[in-house]
Amino acid sequence: GAWTRVRFSMLIRSPLLRLTRKSVAAMASPAHAGAHPRWEQMWNRGLDKGQAFDVGGPSQTLAADLARSQFAPRPGMTALVPGCGRAYDALALAAHGFESVVAVDLAQTACDAAQAELVASGDPAAARVTVQCADFFALEGQYDFIWDCTFLCALEPEVRERWAQKQASLLTKGGVLLTCVFPICEKEGGPPYAMSVPLVQSLLEPVGLKAVRVLDDLPPQEQHSPGAGGGPGMRTALAEWRAADGASAAAGCCKM
C-alpha cells in the first residue's frame, strides 16, 4: 500500500542505511572471528520464512518473557539484537517500548531480508529499528538491553570468551543481557553447538555478569522453535544476566 511505499522510500533515503551499506562494502570479507560460512551460504541459497533456523516470527521464548516482564520502563532505552536474521525479535523489542533497537547481522542477505521484513510488517514500531550489517566484535557504544537468541551457539567455540567480554562491554550500567540458551542437548560438533546454562555461566561470570533469573523448565509453548524444529531432546532455557555490583560490567572486563 501507500504506507509501505513511503516507508521503503524513507529507508532508501535514510543516512543510517546509506552508512550501513558503505560499512558493508568496506568490510566485505573476511568474516568476523568465529563466524561459520554456513550461515551466509544458507542465506545466499534463499532462506524462506520459517525455514531451517528462521523462526518465522518472534521467538516464543522472547514473546513470553516480554508479556510477563517490563524491560523498557523509562523513555529513551536502547536494545541490541546480535545475529538478528529477519529482525523479528528486534521489532518485538521496539513494540515492547525500546526507543531504539539495533539489529545486527554479518550476512548481507540477512540484513536485506530484515529490511524487507520491517517494511512489510506495517508496524509503526519498525521505525525504531535500525538494521546494521556488521561484525559483532567491532561494535561500539552501550545498550540497556541485549537479546542473545541462538547467537552464541552459532559461533565457533574458540571465540566464546571474546563473546562474553564483548557482551559485557556493550551493556550500560544496570543493563540486562537476556539469553535464550538453545539447543540444550547432547550433541557433538556444530554449528549450532550444544549449549547449557552452566556453560554460559562459566563464560559470563568471569566478566562480571551474574544470573539474576534462570528459567530452565519452560513449557512447550515457550521453547525456542526454529523452522526446522528443535530436534529430539533439544530444550531451551532463559537466563537474565546483570553486572554483579549493579555497575557496568565493562569496567571489569577486557577491552575488545
Side-chain angles (χ1 to χ4, degrees):
W3 188 92
T4 299
R5 290 195 297 273
V6 169
R7 279 285 301 137
F8 186 74
S9 175
M10 289 170 65
L11 282 168
I12 293 297
R13 295 197 302 269
S14 166
L16 272 173
L17 184 57
R18 289 199 297 271
L19 176 61
T20 300
R21 298 289 191 192
K22 290 177 182 176
S23 299
V24 170
M27 64 179 284
S29 55
H32 72 57
H36 197 281
R38 174 185 179 186
W39 308 120
E40 177 66 46
Q41 291 165 3
M42 290 180 74
W43 280 106
N44 280 335
R45 286 197 299 267
L47 185 71
D48 293 333
K49 292 181 64 172
Q51 180 184 14
F53 55 82
D54 188 289
V55 177
S59 169
Q60 295 181 150
T61 311
L62 177 64
D65 210 46
L66 293 182
R68 62 176 162 248
S69 308
Q70 177 50 262
F71 293 107
R74 63 182 187 276
M77 294 187 72
T78 58
L80 172 69
V81 183
C84 68
R86 279 191 167 87
Y88 307 120
D89 291 349
L91 181 56
L93 289 170
H96 180 69
F98 285 98
E99 185 168 307
S100 173
V101 182
V102 176
V104 176
D105 206 290
L106 187 68
Q108 179 62 55
T109 38
C111 294
D112 292 342
Q115 291 284 11
E117 180 67 23
L118 290 171
V119 171
S121 74
D123 191 329
R128 300 198 297 276
V129 178
T130 299
V131 177
Q132 188 174 345
C133 206
D135 176 354
F136 166 75
F137 294 108
L139 294 177
E140 297 180 350
Q142 290 190 315
Y143 300 85
D144 297 300
F145 182 90
I146 302 174
W147 168 238
D148 188 299
C149 183
T150 69
F151 180 58
L152 175 60
C153 73
L155 296 174
E156 296 298 323
E158 60 264 25
V159 301
R160 286 174 179 171
E161 286 76 15
R162 286 189 62 195
W163 167 87
Q165 292 165 359
K166 192 64 183 178
Q167 294 282 28
S169 74
L170 289 168
L171 278 179
T172 60
K173 180 179 179 179
V176 171
L177 169 62
L178 193 66
T179 56
C180 177
V181 185
F182 175 89
I184 299 175
C185 60
E186 297 293 332
K187 73 185 288 281
E188 296 294 330
Y193 292 92
M195 293 281 110
S196 71
V197 172
L199 169 62
V200 179
Q201 186 174 22
S202 73
L203 296 170
L204 293 175
E205 285 195 346
V207 299
L209 292 174
K210 301 290 185 183
V212 298
R213 184 169 58 107
V214 176
L215 304 178
D216 58 3
D217 191 23
L218 295 171
Q221 66 271 21
E222 295 185 22
Q223 296 282 322
H224 183 69
S225 183
M234 289 189 178
R235 296 189 303 105
T236 307
L238 183 73
E240 179 181 340
W241 312 83
R242 295 176 186 258
D245 58 0
S248 172
C253 83
C254 309
K255 290 192 176 294
M256 299 303 296

